[in-house]
Amino acid sequence: MKKYFIITYGCQMNEADSERIAASLEKKGYKLASEIESADLIVVNMCSIRQTAVDRIWGKTKELAKLKIKKPKIKTVLTGCIVKSDKNKFTKCFDEIWQNKDYLETFPKCREKTVGFVPISNGCNNFCTYCVVPYARGSLTCRNSKKIINETKLLIKNGAKEIWLLGQNVNDYICPKNPKIKFPELLKIVGDLPGDFQIRLMSPNPKNFTDKLIEIMASSKKIARFLNLPVQSGDNEILKRMNRPYTIEQYKNLVRKIKEKIPDINLTTDVIVGFPGETKKQFQNTIKLFKEIKFNLVYVSKYSKRSGTAAFLKKDNVSLEEKKRRWQILNKLVNEKEKQ
Ligand code: SF4
């Protein structure tokens, strides 16, 4: 019996994809290898969100090349978030390149029985200027809500205690078969399913985070009191250049409404420092935001230019030293606030 081994990088979306690849390979008669050396097929599920993530794959190709010398028949596959410019280079290092959307409808082989990853959509149409996702995963495709519900029911029946509804942008969800079912309606249906389980959602966008969605989150005990609401910058001019369609005033107002309706919410966010052209004054606006809003956790990342994105054409004029300085200042500030 042939054996497979999957290496997964990146977010829950890639974790979910790897579980589906595993299930589809086992349907074809493959068995999970306990270690990479005993595999006949190695799948690398890559992330492209930052250059460092791509560099990691280059490192992996060297390791796989050595393995291939020992086991020439071994087959290597690359999948996941791959941007065109990297794909052309990687084709020489892997036997095949697979598209992640091809196994979206495969029922997963869960790595942990108690955790069910349920992608509700794939891809994104928002084109934030720093982000590769629309180029790596393509345009937004939403799954049929009936299939999402049936899959969730089966995962709960199989023992899932935590259901993660996943999408690059969950609140852009619209059921292709029944457009009346948008994300709030889908969340309500999942929340009304019988069983003892919690629902997590990853990732929403402040853009169309409606009052109805807040209402439904507040009214269901099943929806976990965790929310990651990426803000990305505290400066309106930078948000505009990031093509993030909200202002800081709108973001603060949204956080106020969420905290009013769900006072025990555990709120986290993502922020990028050193975006092209970000002045010290604009960075001060980000600091000001984090002094005003108490987040439970903040994922601070230094801007990493990504080929193919609109921001790639902008002059990356904030030096690495200055990016590091801003990264340290923000981390120190949010860590101190977290302790309060
Ligand atoms: S909404 Fe998220 S996934 Fe989509 S382009 Fe923006 S950052 Fe990327």
Side-chain angles (χ1 to χ4, degrees), residues 76-179:
T76 58
V77 170
L78 182 68
T79 190
C81 286
I82 315 168
V83 290
K84 204 152 171 271
S85 55
D86 295 325
K87 190 175 176 183
N88 302 341
K89 289 179 236 157
F90 280 130
T91 35
K92 302 186 197 75
C93 310
F94 290 89
D95 299 313
E96 287 178 20
I97 304 233
W98 291 352
Q99 294 291 330
N100 38 35
K101 63 180 170 11
D102 296 344
Y103 27 77
L104 198 55
E105 294 304 339
T106 310
F107 187 76
K109 176 177 183 278
C110 299
R111 250 166 9 98
E112 277 177 62
K113 231 158 63 64
T114 56
V115 178
F117 289 134
V118 183
I120 65 171
S121 62
N122 187 51
C124 185
N125 296 345
N126 290 313
F127 292 96
C128 302
T129 57
Y130 53 83
C131 182
V132 290
V133 170
Y135 309 96
R137 281 188 172 264
S139 56
L140 177 70
T141 47
C142 297
R143 296 178 68 197
N144 177 353
S145 55
K146 279 208 178 83
K147 290 192 175 168
I148 294 169
I149 302 301
N150 291 342
E151 187 172 293
T152 305
K153 283 181 184 166
L154 210 45
L155 287 165
I156 295 163
K157 193 162 158 257
N158 292 353
K161 292 293 174 213
E162 220 177 64
I163 295 290
W164 287 72
L165 299 179
L166 300 176
Q168 266 70 41
N169 213 343
V170 287
N171 34 336
D172 273 354
Y173 177 83
I174 301 176
C175 176
K177 298 282 183 218
N178 178 356

Side-chain angles (χ1 to χ4, degrees), residues 21 26 35 43 59 91 120 132 192 236 268 310:
I21 298 170
E26 296 201 0
E35 75 274 332
V43 179
T91 35
I120 65 171
V132 290
D192 291 343
N236 283 334
T268 63

